[in-house]
Amino acid sequence: MKRNSASSASWWKLSGVQRALMIYVVIPMLAIVGIGLGVGIERLNSLETERLKDDLELLGRAIRLPVQEAILENDEEAVQRALESVFEIGRVYGASVYDANGNRVAAAGIASRDLSRSRVAQEVVLTGEQQERTRQISGVEMYSQFLPLFDPLGQPNGFIQINRQASDFDASFARLTRAAWVIWLAMALLTLTVVIFGHYRGVGRHVNQLKQAMTRVEAGQRDYRTASDGPGEVAEIARGLNQMLDSIERKDEELEQARLQEQELAEKLQHQEKMAAIGNVASGIAHELGAPLTVIDGRAQRLLRKESDPDRQRQLNAIRGQVARLTRIVQQLLNYCRPAEEHLEEVTDDAALNLPELLQGVLDSIRHELDDEALQLRLILPDQPLPTFYASASRLELALVNLVRNAAQVADQWVVVQVDYESGPVSLHSRQQPEVTIRVLDDGPGLSEALSEQELMEPFVTTKGQGEGTGLGLAIVTNVAQEYRGRLRLENNPEGRGCIATLTLKLAT
């Protein structure tokens, strides 16, 4: 019921187009019709008045001959009967006969007693032509028709007066006027109703749909489209509006894509600037450490050739191994500054990667760095054997060493490295690249609340004390993860103390 009443109210409420239609079309049209009606009523009033006058004239002519004959025969009763016969027609109030001097000879109904001083009576007798006047008779406004009477020689010897109430003419005109204006008013109301309702059904409701569409779009509903129905012009406007909105949406998408590309280029530029800074640092490190490491390795090698004690040989080999590891780390840091495409070119069919061996080697390397021999480093592999992967072993070792080293430096009792492997679905045409997840868990204090996860992955950002860290570890891991379309995620352990670093990589099998 509310919907019906709202719909009914909506089409009665005039819109701007409907008001313009009323002002410039309907009202002028009704005014023209009203003026024409007024002119027509005046014309009809004249015709009706003439008709009423003609009726009286016909009555007078009808009784004039009998009255003339009765007067010649001096038959008063015949004159009286002739006068009374006019009342059979109706709407006649009096009839009377006068001689040439204006003295009344006979009368019926309302009539003047004496017209001897009446100018109109004199004109009738003198001219022998009929006359008409509106005059007071017995206090009543009467319309009188005067018809001359003639003797056998054709000379006027009297006249007949037939009276009709003057208000009869006005009453007839008033009835006709009321009827005409009532009809005009009814037609005006009907025209207004038809115009308003017809405009709403034919045009207005479709225009309202366009207005609602524009209001919704203005409110932020950019995906809203209006129905393209209604008259041809309105439907064309609706289609044009929808096409315009589609075009705006496409332009917005293009602008958004351009903005994203610009943002990506800005991020790449910022990343390259960071890499350049890191490259300068790495070059300095390589320059400063390269010669001393070469000297240490050469002297250890000479001592090893001269030494025969197995225990000392083992110690010298350990020294050479640490020197080689330091040299490799410096080289890996230099490689970090190279473009990712250069790293990926190292992955060939001959670069098969045994992930368990690589992880075990990472743990062994970290053990040599530890001062606390009680700290446990544990590797957990999946139940099913891992396939052979193809990747840059040096890049992955660099990333894993940084993750495990960070965990070992803050752990209290243990660090666990856990590996999960998920193979992608196989189809007739392709096999999705498998995903390897490596989690490094520790029982340390967890992540600092002062820095966000994103900030911790930025170069040169560290939570360690002065001189204890460079802030490059997690940045290197993030860079390696991006090279293999992976990601690094840091979070506190929800089941207890410590942190979980999750490195996800997509490696070719």
Side-chain angles (χ1 to χ4, degrees), residues 214-442:
M214 289 185 287
T215 301
R216 291 190 177 186
V217 172
E218 183 182 5
Q221 300 182 20
R222 296 296 183 88
D223 57 343
Y224 183 80
R225 298 295 181 269
T226 184
S228 57
D229 54 2
E233 293 81 359
V234 178
E236 187 67 25
I237 294 175
R239 287 191 290 270
L241 176 62
N242 292 338
Q243 292 174 0
M244 181 184 67
L245 293 176
D246 293 339
S247 177
I248 292 175
E249 187 175 4
R250 288 193 299 270
K251 294 298 182 183
D252 288 343
E253 292 176 355
E254 293 175 359
L255 289 175
E256 181 64 18
Q257 292 178 358
R259 188 190 66 80
L260 293 176
Q261 291 176 355
E262 183 178 355
Q263 182 179 356
E264 184 179 357
L265 290 175
E267 291 175 355
K268 287 183 178 180
L269 179 60
Q270 185 180 9
H271 181 71
Q272 290 175 357
E273 292 175 351
K274 291 179 180 178
M275 293 303 101
I278 296 172
N280 292 332
V281 174
S283 298
I285 293 174
H287 177 73
E288 294 296 330
L289 297 182
L293 290 176
T294 302
V295 173
I296 293 172
D297 184 65
R299 292 185 179 182
Q301 188 175 3
R302 287 196 298 272
L303 290 174
L304 184 61
R305 285 197 297 267
K306 296 178 181 179
E307 189 62 56
S308 60
D309 184 26
D311 183 60
R312 291 184 177 181
Q313 287 181 348
R314 184 179 61 81
Q315 294 296 333
L316 290 172
N317 285 326
I319 292 174
R320 291 196 66 197
Q322 292 300 316
V323 169
R325 187 176 65 83
L326 289 174
T327 303
R328 186 171 63 253
I329 290 175
V330 171
Q331 184 60 42
Q332 290 171 352
L333 185 58
L334 289 173
N335 291 338
Y336 171 69
C337 302
R338 292 162 52 195
E341 291 78 3
E342 297 182 14
H343 300 310
L344 295 179
E345 288 177 358
E346 300 174 359
V347 182
T348 63
D349 293 340
D350 297 331
L353 175 66
N354 189 320
L355 188 58
E357 291 183 1
L358 178 64
L359 290 170
Q360 191 61 53
V362 169
L363 295 181
D364 293 340
S365 298
I366 298 300
R367 285 191 182 97
H368 289 98
E369 301 177 6
L370 295 177
D371 296 332
D372 186 4
E373 297 181 356
L375 184 65
Q376 299 180 11
L377 300 179
R378 213 165 22 133
L379 176 62
I380 300 177
L381 298 174
D383 296 335
Q384 71 272 21
L386 294 174
T388 300
F389 297 105
Y390 293 93
S392 173
S394 61
R395 298 292 290 166
L396 290 182
E397 182 184 17
L398 179 62
L400 294 171
V401 164
N402 280 281
L403 280 181
V404 177
R405 180 185 292 124
N406 285 347
Q409 289 175 349
V410 298
D412 292 336
Q413 298 179 1
W414 53 263
V415 174
V416 176
V417 179
Q418 181 179 355
V419 180
D420 291 327
Y421 169 72
E422 294 182 4
S423 59
V426 179
S427 67
L428 294 176
H429 304 286
S430 63
R431 177 189 178 111
Q432 182 177 339
Q433 192 170 2
E435 188 173 81
V436 177
T437 302
I438 303 172
R439 295 183 180 87
V440 179
L441 301 87
D442 64 73

Side-chain angles (χ1 to χ4, degrees), residues 31-42 177 180-185:
I32 292 173
V33 173
I35 293 173
L37 182 62
V39 172
I41 290 174
E42 288 293 335
T177 302
W181 287 115
V182 167
I183 294 173
W184 178 87
L185 180 61

